[in-house]
Amino acid sequence: MLSPLSAAALSLLLLLQTHGAEGAALAAPTVTLDSAVFTGKAGSNTQSFLGIPFAKPPVGDLRLQLPQPVDKYTGSYTVTSFGDACPQQEIELPILTGVAQEVVDYVANSIFGLVFPAAEDCLTLNVIKPSTAKATSKLPVVVWIFGGGFELGSPAMYDGTTIVQRSIDLGEPVIYVSMNYRISAFGFLASKEIREAGVGNLGLQDQRQALRWIQQYIGAFGGDPTKVTIWGESAGAISVSLHMLANNGDNQGLFRGAFMESGSPIPVGPIENGQKYYDAIVQKTGCSGASDTLACLRTVPYDQFKAAQDASPGIFSYQSLVLAFLPREDGTFLTANPQALVQQGKVSNVPFVTGDCDDEGTLFSLSTLNVTSDADFTKYVSSVWIPQANSTQVANLVKLYSSDVTAGSPFDTGILDVLTPQFKRIAAFQGDGVFQAPRRFFQKALNGKQNQWAFLSKRLKALPFLGSAHFTDILNSYGTGELRDAVINFSNNLDPNGHTVPNWPKWSVANPNMMTFLDGLFPTQISQDTYRKDAMEAITQITLQFPI
């Protein structure tokens, strides 16, 4: 019999890596864009058009430049396989022993270890539609933005046919779109030089260009450009939230709803906060002596530039979620720190769904196992997370995140899952700091302004040390779960409720209802978004003052 860990790993692998070869004998579908014919592939009741270029290749002089729209399409294209992923940052996982190593192997095999062909010429997107959809169908469009810490990932990880097929079964057909976007140093290099050149947040700009492409071309596939929902997980969900803030909340008619899994406007500061990582890449690529270091970086051979990127701290380095490459205020796409924009009300007035996994921080705390004492934890918080804070502020935060292992994450597991004396404490702190507290802050700030729903996933608590970890909700949204149906309902009706989804009340400050997904006989319940109130308020206030 498979252990809970092995069973979950197998489920994720099957889910993420299965792209059906169904319907190979069916006639190949075509669609005309401008004067070009695109030939895709047919499934039993879906048609897929994969690897369509939506922007000019960001290579040569276009490296580290804003995405450029493609010229009008001409000729013919065969679009039956995903395009290359954008350059990935090399990931080094921690080396452990025993069951803990099995956890790391699970992470490597089912989440961060998937390898995709990658190249700089990567700005492609994918459209999956019902076979019956015509240019006059005007179907809602759901746009998926993948996660991966802004360091890695690809649309090829996710089988969008499952979403379209389920939408057909529900009688609520949708068009599914996913896109590549530049990540790590290729997409989120940050410095004063980047600000001066106006080329910050290129990964978000790529996503925005894909949304503009959808406005222009999705009608040919049977989609309605006025009925677009943007949906993402982790970095993808953070991206969704930042599109709600871009251009001071003007979404330019690019979407009408947002669905976020494990991601909200995060506490990040000005683009200059990434200067040290920019300077390190400049030094490693030999551009230090150039009068224009940014221009020099555009001439560096790809392998050399990528090697310099890979030498930067990754998501499993000691600093973990204090990522080297993040969206930051650049004065153009984001005119202020994201949470300041939320406070100013500069948010797109669209309905949204947002939620987290219960144990968001466990996965990212495997790299801090050398933090084993109260003093170590205090030093970690003060030196890595809030180096500008005074000792009183640090002491207050440390007190609120207790060393009592029964209060740590995985939550509600008592004395179990104590990988080190401080592991559950760090996991609770990181999960709240990056995911739970920013989500609650976002929802409270928008109370009464637009319809909103919240969820909390407490499934897979049996995963050793990880519990209901970051990414585990993907089984719910791309598997056979309630979130998948909720996304489809929301795309059609701007409401996650439907006949296959248990009653899901809206979230408000007065009634902070959360759809809670559980293991066991009763898979859902409505709970209240009031847990760890004092700790989350404290972490919100201090990160507002000292953003990353």
Side-chain angles (χ1 to χ4, degrees):
M1 177 177 291
L2 290 173
S3 69
L5 176 62
S6 299
L10 178 60
S11 297
L12 276 170
L13 282 168
L14 290 173
L15 171 66
L16 297 177
Q17 296 179 340
T18 300
H19 299 284
E22 55 186 286
L26 297 177
T30 62
V31 66
T32 299
L33 306 179
D34 298 326
S35 60
V37 175
F38 289 76
T39 302
K41 65 179 181 179
S44 58
N45 58 356
T46 65
Q47 296 175 348
S48 299
F49 299 84
L50 309 176
I52 302 172
F54 69 85
K56 292 179 179 178
V59 300
D61 290 342
L62 293 185
R63 178 192 284 172
L64 302 177
Q65 297 277 21
L66 295 174
Q68 300 298 307
V70 290
D71 296 328
K72 284 189 175 297
Y73 296 112
T74 59
S76 61
Y77 296 77
T78 299
V79 285
T80 55
S81 60
F82 288 97
D84 287 337
C86 291
Q88 312 281 293
Q89 181 157 342
E90 187 173 323
I91 297 297
E92 292 187 14
L93 292 165
I95 300 173
L96 306 172
T97 59
V99 176
Q101 184 59 51
E102 188 181 350
V103 171
V104 170
D105 290 342
Y106 154 64
V107 171
N109 291 332
S110 60
I111 302 178
F112 291 99
L114 299 174
V115 177
F116 312 99
E120 272 195 274
D121 182 0
C122 62
L123 296 184
T124 60
L125 54 70
N126 316 288
V127 181
I128 302 172
K129 72 181 192 72
S131 300
T132 56
K134 298 179 173 58
T136 56
S137 296
K138 300 290 185 183
L139 299 181
V141 182
V142 59
V143 181
W144 172 253
I145 304 176
F146 67 82
F150 301 103
E151 293 182 359
L152 69 163
S154 164
M157 290 176 63
Y158 306 91
D159 188 1
T161 60
T162 64
I163 305 299
V164 177
Q165 288 169 350
R166 179 60 175 169
S167 75
I168 295 168
D169 295 340
L170 291 174
E172 294 188 326
V174 300
I175 307 288
Y176 173 96
V177 181
S178 60
M179 87 283 282
N180 267 323
Y181 61 95
R182 283 172 285 180
I183 50 182
S184 201
F186 290 85
F188 292 97
L189 207 56
S191 69
K192 65 180 185 296
E193 293 87 351
I194 294 291
R195 182 190 294 277
E196 290 166 1
V199 293
N201 295 312
L202 292 177
L204 296 177
Q205 294 280 13
D206 293 342
Q207 297 166 13
R208 202 78 167 184
Q209 179 57 31
L211 293 174
R212 288 190 285 267
W213 185 98
I214 290 167
Q215 290 297 304
Q216 183 174 356
Y217 290 110
I218 203 63
F221 298 89
D224 187 339
T226 70
K227 296 180 180 179
V228 173
T229 293
I230 51 176
W231 169 38
E233 186 268 344
S234 190
I238 294 169
S239 297
V240 167
S241 76
L242 297 182
H243 284 291
M244 294 176 68
L245 309 181
N247 303 313
N248 292 318
D250 179 6
N251 69 10
Q252 302 170 313
L254 296 175
F255 54 91
R256 67 168 187 168
F259 206 110
M260 291 158 277
E261 299 182 41
S262 300
S264 306
I266 49 177
V268 291
I271 202 164
E272 289 79 8
N273 283 10
Q275 189 74 46
K276 64 181 178 180
Y277 306 113
Y278 177 91
D279 291 344
I281 286 178
V282 166
Q283 190 275 326
K284 289 181 183 299
T285 53
C287 287
S288 297
S291 58
D292 185 338
T293 56
L294 184 55
C296 179
L297 289 177
R298 295 191 178 108
T299 68
V300 170
Y302 168 78
D303 290 344
Q304 188 177 347
F305 188 91
K306 187 178 184 304
Q309 165 194 274
D310 292 347
S312 306
I315 200 167
F316 287 107
S317 67
Y318 177 72
Q319 66 191 62
S320 191
L321 289 171
V322 182
L323 299 172
F325 304 109
L326 281 167
R328 302 180 190 273
E329 177 273 313
D330 63 347
T332 303
F333 194 90
L334 296 172
T335 58
N337 302 348
Q339 291 189 329
L341 289 170
V342 173
Q343 289 179 314
Q344 296 163 19
K346 295 178 178 179
V347 184
S348 298
N349 185 16
V350 299
F352 64 92
V353 178
T354 183
D356 296 293
C357 298
D358 201 31
D359 301 306
E360 292 283 3
T362 52
L363 182 63
F364 307 107
S365 300
L366 296 173
S367 59
T368 49
L369 301 185
N370 58 337
V371 178
T372 59
S373 68
D374 290 348
D376 289 342
F377 179 71
T378 299
K379 180 180 179 182
Y380 182 70
V381 171
S382 62
S383 63
V384 173
W385 281 93
I386 45 174
Q388 305 104 317
N390 62 45
S391 59
T392 301
Q393 290 172 311
V394 173
N396 180 55
L397 201 56
V398 166
K399 181 180 178 181
L400 288 166
Y401 284 90
S402 168
S403 59
D404 178 0
V405 296
T406 65
S409 182
F411 297 109
D412 304 319
T413 57
I415 61 173
L416 301 178
D417 296 318
V418 183
L419 191 53
T420 73
Q422 298 290 321
F423 172 75
K424 294 180 75 172
R425 186 184 198 181
I426 296 173
F429 171 77
Q430 290 207 116
D432 283 356
V434 176
F435 300 100
Q436 299 274 11
R439 176 200 55 77
R440 187 179 289 169
F441 166 81
F442 188 48
Q443 295 206 261
K444 288 175 70 175
L446 299 181
N447 182 58
K449 297 181 180 179
Q450 55 220 83
N451 290 337
Q452 53 176 303
W453 292 262
F455 72 85
L456 181 67
S457 179
K458 291 190 172 187
R459 290 184 181 164
L460 295 180
K461 276 289 180 180
L463 288 177
F465 306 113
L466 294 180
S468 303
H470 186 73
F471 194 80
T472 54
D473 56 323
I474 290 293
L475 282 169
N476 195 333
S477 51
Y478 275 87
T480 57
E482 303 88 346
L483 274 178
R484 180 182 62 174
D485 289 4
V487 168
I488 293 166
N489 294 337
F490 188 80
S491 298
N492 276 271
N493 308 308
L494 296 179
D495 187 325
N497 285 284
H499 67 275
T500 63
V501 176
N503 181 51
W504 189 340
K506 295 175 187 174
W507 188 101
S508 68
V509 169
N511 294 292
N513 299 298
M514 303 191 82
M515 174 64 77
T516 304
F517 302 109
L518 303 166
D519 295 317
L521 185 61
F522 301 100
T524 64
Q525 71 177 27
I526 301 302
S527 61
Q528 297 300 294
D529 187 15
T530 55
Y531 50 92
R532 299 189 299 284
K533 180 176 181 291
D534 291 344
M536 284 202 219
E537 286 184 358
I539 205 169
T540 294
Q541 290 308 310
I542 203 163
T543 54
L544 278 168
Q545 186 176 355
F546 305 115
I548 297 170

